[in-house]
Amino acid sequence: MSAGLFGLLDDVAALARLAAASLDDIGAATGKATAKAAGVVIDDTAVTPQYVQGITADREIPMIKRIAVGSLRNKLLFILPAALILSQFAPWALTPILMIGATYLCFEGAEKVLARFLHHESHGSESGAPADEKSMTASAIRTDFILSAEIMVIALNEVASQSFVPRLIILIIVALVITAAVYGVVGVIVKMDDAGLALAQRSSQFAQRIGRGLVAGMPKLLSVLSTVGTVAMLWVGGHILLTGTDTLGWHTPYGWVHHAEESIRDAVQGVGGLLAWLANTTVSAIIGFVVGTVVVLIVQALPFGKKH
């Protein structure tokens, strides 16, 4: 009787050690997958603040919450199941689907650039702020879908060797952590002017100076982030297209960029890696703008295209 009990306890202890090891493996894989997707996370963080520009201060946080919920819904209900199913049964389809999404991202980025240089008016609703807020929220969630798809596919590639259940757990954790990080930072950014106003009303001269600086600097910061967000759309979209064509068998464009990147890295000591990354980013953004402009022209030529 006691021997059987001790044997059972040994089995339980072994299972506990196995579970602990599995959790350690999942934690390490989660950290690795999240870090690998960090570049796109930064782009997502830069893109989102532009959607709350022009929204009244009391509606900024509720709008960001709705975008965050939409982002989480994108990742958990649509992207994650689709990516897992496709990776299991039709892995060849992931790249073409990502490239279609990237083309839309290029379209949005190029449209913003062309509108800015051609002085087109923005397409806000004439029925007032609530309709504008709804339209901007929907637009932000659509853009987030593409960026989230890229994030989740990058993370999926990092844990492809895992069995199904650990892979699922890791990707759910990545989705939760990244969404919280991105929209937490976005919330802080858009409310910094309110924090500045609060500081400016304090009795401390130092606090007042900091507060006035925040209030004066926030419009400039949001303008910079809007520009960075637009460039990020073109860069991410163009990079997906560039790597996608290589994956599908057309190696020349990616090979040329990769060769140039390696040459720059080897030629310049110290900052070669940074310059190589900038070169890759610049070429990707140019590709994104060219592809996006072509799509804009096609859309404008169609009967249902947007009229400026």
Side-chain angles (χ1 to χ4, degrees), residues 244-292:
T245 54
D246 183 66
T247 302
L248 294 178
W250 186 25
H251 304 297
T252 303
Y254 181 80
W256 181 83
V257 173
H258 183 68
H259 177 72
E261 193 177 0
E262 289 297 315
S263 298
I264 293 171
R265 182 179 288 108
D266 295 338
V268 183
Q269 297 297 323
V271 295
L274 175 62
L275 294 177
W277 178 83
L278 287 173
N280 186 300
T281 299
T282 301
V283 173
S284 296
I286 292 171
I287 291 171
F289 179 70
V290 171
V291 171

Side-chain angles (χ1 to χ4, degrees), residues 79-180:
I79 298 169
L80 180 55
L84 286 172
I85 291 170
L86 288 173
S87 66
Q88 194 74 26
F89 300 106
W92 55 266
L94 283 173
T95 296
I97 291 172
L98 266 181
M99 291 177 72
I100 292 171
T103 302
Y104 176 77
L105 208 57
C106 294
F107 163 73
E108 278 221 327
E111 188 179 44
K112 290 177 183 295
V113 172
L114 294 172
R116 182 173 300 180
F117 283 101
L118 298 177
H119 307 293
H120 288 156
E121 297 296 326
S122 61
H123 302 286
S125 169
E126 296 179 359
S127 59
D132 287 341
E133 183 180 329
K134 183 178 180 181
S135 173
M136 294 299 284
T137 301
S139 179
I141 292 173
R142 282 197 303 271
T143 300
D144 173 271
F145 188 92
I146 309 302
L147 293 170
S148 292
E150 176 73 349
I151 289 168
M152 297 308 291
V153 169
I154 289 172
L156 177 62
N157 287 337
E158 286 301 304
V159 297
S161 60
Q162 300 279 342
S163 58
F164 181 81
V165 173
R167 194 189 323 163
L168 176 62
I169 294 172
I170 290 166
L171 291 176
I172 289 174
I173 294 173
V174 168
L176 293 172
V177 169
I178 285 178
T179 302

